[in-house]
Amino acid sequence: MTALDDVRVLDLSRLLPGPFCTLLLADLGADVIKVEDTESGDYLRWVPPLAGEYSAMFHPLNRNKRSVGLNLKTESGREAFLRLVDTADVIVESFRPGVIDRLQLGWDMLHQRNPAVILCSISGYGQDGPYRDRAGHDLNYAAIAGVLSVTASAAGDTAMPGVQAGDLGGGALYAAVAILAALHQRTRTGQGQHCDVAMLDGLVSWMAPHAALYFAGAGVPGPSTLTLNGRHPCYRIYACQDGHMALGALEPKFWRAFVEAVGLPHLADAGFSDGDEARSAAAEIEDVLRQRTRAEWVAAFAGLDVCCEPLLGIDETFADPQVQHRGMEVQPGVGGPLSQCASPLRLSDSAFEVRRPAPGYAQHTRELLADVGYEPSAVEALTREGAAR
């Protein structure tokens, strides 16, 4: 049994935010149908490197889904989509605001057609406001939200996040939460609703701790005021003999245990030191850590509450015993030609399972349209119409 096996999702999105959102729903059992255009489909299919026919990145984002190819710019394509809408619980789209209306498939039309359907629109800046029509990507949303201003070292060097926080967190995760909330509300009202998820909004909400200090009069956060940017010896990345160790000993008890373990007990009160004192303490710690490898320090810290872990590359992550124990790698097989990251969701009465690999382009068009009443000849006509364009 899976949590969402009675939910059908029509996914009009491409690339990362929308497909990651619908992956979460698909992994929970939802019947997710990728509705792909008849020109190229989801662009991510073709991004190198390929694993088999499609991109290595496409497979893990689109497992447990089916695909239908429709030209929504034609009347017949829209009608076929609307027949699928009659059977759907959720529609996810990530066009620029206004595009879905120009396709004559906006919220008013969808709600009239199926009052119970939920539409989730994921965009950079939201469905309204002065930036509504502005183009953007993850880095742009992070810049405006203030995220980049606090993603800096104590020396003031601004870093570009290596994980797309806006796409995945500000967009995909909040979209999934909004959809689940709308499904729950529908059990009481019988009515669907339009979820407007902006990646900028999501990242602004992640700034809540920094914003709270700013609103309280503590000033604009920056390298000289941040706590978790390497400014203090107790929370920073240190070099060791063959890589780096990440120390997060914020609480005094963890800091004291750490300095005892590395043979520097005289630094017991230096965890939150600042300025020259902090730099001196950090230099002492790094001198000691450089004398051993990551593996040797992991062994030395075993059984101790010191909050110090090795900085791993992705190749090492999947060999880590905790990651392996939690089953976070899906081996090649039903899910596709390569290993994949597993779902992080653990529900005691709802199993996560890989039911099918990422679909081929338009692979399920015939069966899905037959399910909503199309005769084989009509399906063939729609397919030819798409191919001709």
Side-chain angles (χ1 to χ4, degrees):
M1 177 181 179
T2 53
L4 299 179
D5 56 13
D6 59 345
V7 173
R8 171 171 281 191
V9 179
L10 303 182
D11 183 5
L12 290 163
S13 68
R14 303 161 175 162
L15 299 175
L16 182 57
F20 191 82
C21 166
T22 57
L23 170 68
L24 295 174
L25 304 178
D27 281 351
L28 288 170
D31 177 20
V32 175
I33 300 168
K34 287 181 69 68
V35 181
E36 303 188 68
D37 66 56
T38 53
E39 294 178 0
S40 61
D42 186 342
Y43 313 141
L44 191 62
R45 285 184 180 275
W46 321 112
V47 176
L50 302 184
E53 187 176 355
Y54 302 116
S55 170
M57 292 182 288
F58 182 81
H59 293 284
L61 285 171
N62 292 285
R63 66 176 177 234
N64 290 337
K65 302 178 184 180
R66 297 190 284 171
S67 171
V68 60
L70 293 174
N71 185 351
L72 299 182
K73 295 178 181 178
T74 66
E75 179 136 358
S76 56
R78 282 193 297 274
E79 176 55 32
F81 177 72
L82 288 171
R83 288 206 204 177
L84 290 172
V85 169
D86 293 339
T87 73
D89 299 284
V90 178
I91 301 165
V92 176
E93 63 95 2
S94 60
F95 300 121
R96 279 213 215 177
V99 169
I100 197 167
D101 294 300
R102 290 198 293 275
L103 291 171
Q104 301 174 48
L105 295 170
W107 169 240
D108 290 341
M109 159 71 82
L110 296 172
H111 186 61
Q112 181 179 9
R113 178 83 181 208
N114 180 356
V117 80
I118 293 157
L119 173 64
C120 182
S121 298
I122 305 172
S123 63
Y125 300 107
Q127 299 299 304
D128 51 30
Y131 295 174
R132 172 184 187 267
D133 298 318
R134 184 177 292 189
H137 282 296
D138 196 274
L139 192 67
N140 308 124
Y141 315 138
I144 295 176
V147 171
L148 295 186
S149 74
V150 296
T151 309
S153 69
D157 301 317
T158 300
M160 294 176 62
V163 173
Q164 284 68 51
D167 288 351
L168 298 173
L173 287 178
Y174 277 130
V177 171
I179 289 166
L180 294 175
L183 284 169
H184 178 70
Q185 183 169 329
R186 193 182 68 175
T187 64
R188 301 196 303 271
T189 67
Q191 294 289 308
Q193 58 186 297
H194 188 187
C195 306
D196 174 7
V197 176
M199 288 178 266
L200 173 62
D201 294 353
L203 286 181
V204 170
S205 77
W206 280 20
M207 291 291 289
H210 298 295
L213 296 175
Y214 168 70
F215 292 140
V220 177
S224 63
T225 63
L226 295 169
T227 298
L228 307 182
N229 67 339
R231 173 182 161 208
H232 304 299
C234 66
Y235 198 92
R236 62 182 293 159
I237 296 170
Y238 290 96
C240 62
Q241 195 175 97
D242 63 345
H244 294 83
M245 300 294 291
L247 178 66
L250 288 171
E251 293 83 354
K253 63 179 180 180
F254 297 144
W255 170 253
R256 286 193 296 269
F258 172 76
V259 294
E260 288 283 348
V262 298
L264 299 172
H266 62 282
L267 296 179
D269 296 323
F272 280 98
S273 58
D274 212 344
D276 290 341
E277 183 183 354
R279 285 187 284 272
S280 175
E284 282 194 68
I285 293 168
E286 190 154 292
D287 284 345
V288 171
L289 292 182
R290 282 184 178 276
Q291 297 172 21
R292 299 188 191 181
T293 65
R294 290 178 306 165
E296 289 171 331
W297 282 119
V298 168
F301 296 147
L304 303 178
D305 283 337
V306 296
C307 300
C308 191
E309 302 293 350
L311 195 159
L312 303 182
I314 192 69
D315 56 325
E316 299 167 302
T317 294
F318 290 101
D320 182 84
Q322 181 65 19
V323 175
Q324 289 189 339
H325 176 81
R326 297 288 289 179
M328 285 306 299
E329 180 179 354
V330 175
Q331 296 292 333
V334 175
L338 301 174
S339 286
Q340 302 176 13
C341 294
S343 172
L345 302 173
R346 300 290 188 272
L347 283 69
S348 62
D349 294 324
S350 178
F352 157 65
E353 61 180 355
V354 179
R355 306 183 302 282
R356 55 164 51 100
Y361 169 67
Q363 177 183 345
H364 303 95
T365 299
R366 287 171 173 79
E367 70 182 68
L368 286 166
L369 294 185
D371 286 347
V372 292
Y374 278 85
E375 296 295 330
S377 59
V379 174
E380 291 300 326
L382 273 170
T383 303
R384 285 197 301 273
E385 176 188 71
R389 294 171 183 273

